Amino acid sequence: AQSVAQPEDQVNVAEGNPLTVKCTYSVSGNPYLFWYVQYPNRGLQFLLKYITGDNLVKGSYGFEAEFNKSQTSFHLKKPSALVSDSALYFCAVRDKAGTASKLTFGTGTRLQVTL
Amino acid sequence: DAGVIQSPRHEVTEMGQEVTLRCKPISGHNSLFWYRQTMMRGLELLIYFNNNVPIDDSGMPEDRFSAKMPNASFSTLKIQPSEPRDSAVYFCASSLGQAINSPLHFGNGTRLTVT
């Protein structure tokens, strides 16, 4: 069974500093990895995905994520955080293609960026 | 593109009443997902459809829950009878096909409160 873990419930960072939100995964086959962001009273929004190719994936709003197969990790990063980045971030993994394809979400990490 | 549209945004009902949540997916998307979000359990996949056909309903908590997709542009999630433990935010999401790298597009959710 596929699973994803986000070890930190909350990450605090000062505006302008780099941020990292951690994610590790477990799948039986090749991982297909995603990051989503949720703002208050809104649905989740897609940020970026890793399917294959370069281990560093760039996404929306200046975010990027690094796929590390040996560590089974897919950490979300941003070089310079903004207060407006404060939100709930979800890592997700998809395993099999076809009719059994499902997306498994982590428990979420709340990012708080302060001035 | 109007995005995924859910109605109502908020629903307050008494225990034992029937509740119907509605979803209009993005035009052209042929996969539709219903999720439930609570503080205790995070995001749970309840059911997903492909081409209007239910593919996996293993996440539906019990027989009180049912979902339908009569056509490509409309889906409902019904709870009958409702119970206080059903209180949660229910999200509908759609995607283009079942391609493993297709991101989900979420609606803004329906916040259900059962008293």
Side-chain angles (χ1 to χ4, degrees):
Chain A
Q2 60 195 38
S3 66
V4 63
Q6 295 181 243
E8 303 155 316
D9 289 336
Q10 180 155 330
V11 170
N12 299 306
V13 64
E15 187 174 56
N17 284 357
L19 69 88
T20 298
V21 182
K22 296 180 180 177
C23 171
T24 58
Y25 65 89
S26 174
V27 296
S28 56
N30 290 324
Y32 300 87
L33 296 153
F34 303 78
W35 276 101
Y36 286 80
V37 59
Q38 185 179 27
Y39 297 100
N41 301 313
R42 301 294 296 274
L44 280 69
Q45 296 177 32
F46 169 73
L47 271 181
L48 51 80
K49 67 184 179 186
Y50 171 81
I51 304 300
T52 186
D54 288 341
N55 290 342
L56 186 64
V57 178
K58 294 188 184 297
S60 307
Y61 312 120
F63 283 93
E64 57 190 28
E66 187 168 11
F67 171 66
N68 187 316
K69 188 173 183 177
S70 63
Q71 297 186 2
T72 62
S73 67
F74 189 57
H75 301 332
L76 181 69
K77 300 181 179 184
K78 188 174 183 181
S80 178
L82 298 172
V83 171
S84 57
D85 293 330
S86 299
L88 191 55
Y89 289 81
F90 291 92
C91 182
V93 65
R94 221 167 184 172
D95 192 350
K96 294 187 291 184
T99 57
S101 177
K102 286 193 295 188
L103 198 61
T104 298
F105 285 92
T107 52
T109 298
R110 187 165 301 281
L111 174 65
Q112 187 70 44
V113 182
T114 54
L115 289 171
Chain B
D1 184 350
V4 175
I5 299 172
Q6 291 187 248
S7 63
R9 284 300 310 273
H10 303 274
E11 177 78 43
V12 180
T13 190
E14 292 183 348
M15 183 175 63
Q17 296 298 305
E18 177 180 299
V19 175
T20 299
L21 311 182
R22 296 173 175 80
C23 174
K24 176 179 169 55
I26 292 173
S27 177
H29 283 190
N30 57 353
S31 288
L32 183 139
F33 305 77
W34 282 100
Y35 282 87
R36 178 171 68 177
Q37 186 178 37
T38 60
M39 290 292 291
M40 293 296 294
R41 293 200 188 89
L43 269 167
E44 303 172 275
L45 176 65
L46 300 178
I47 186 171
Y48 80 94
F49 295 84
N50 183 251
N51 292 325
N52 312 337
V53 175
I55 302 300
D56 185 347
D57 65 355
S58 60
M60 296 287 261
E62 37 192 288
D63 291 345
R64 297 184 297 106
F65 285 69
S66 62
K68 293 181 180 180
M69 192 164 186
N71 57 61
S73 58
F74 184 65
S75 177
T76 59
L77 178 67
K78 185 177 294 185
I79 309 172
Q80 165 63 17
S82 58
E83 296 183 4
R85 61 193 168 119
D86 301 331
S87 298
V89 181
Y90 291 81
F91 288 103
C92 176
S94 68
S95 70
L96 186 60
Q98 289 191 92
I100 201 160
N101 59 354
S102 295
L104 268 60
H105 296 259
F106 283 78
N108 286 330
T110 295
R111 183 175 296 277
L112 174 64
T113 303
V114 184
T115 61

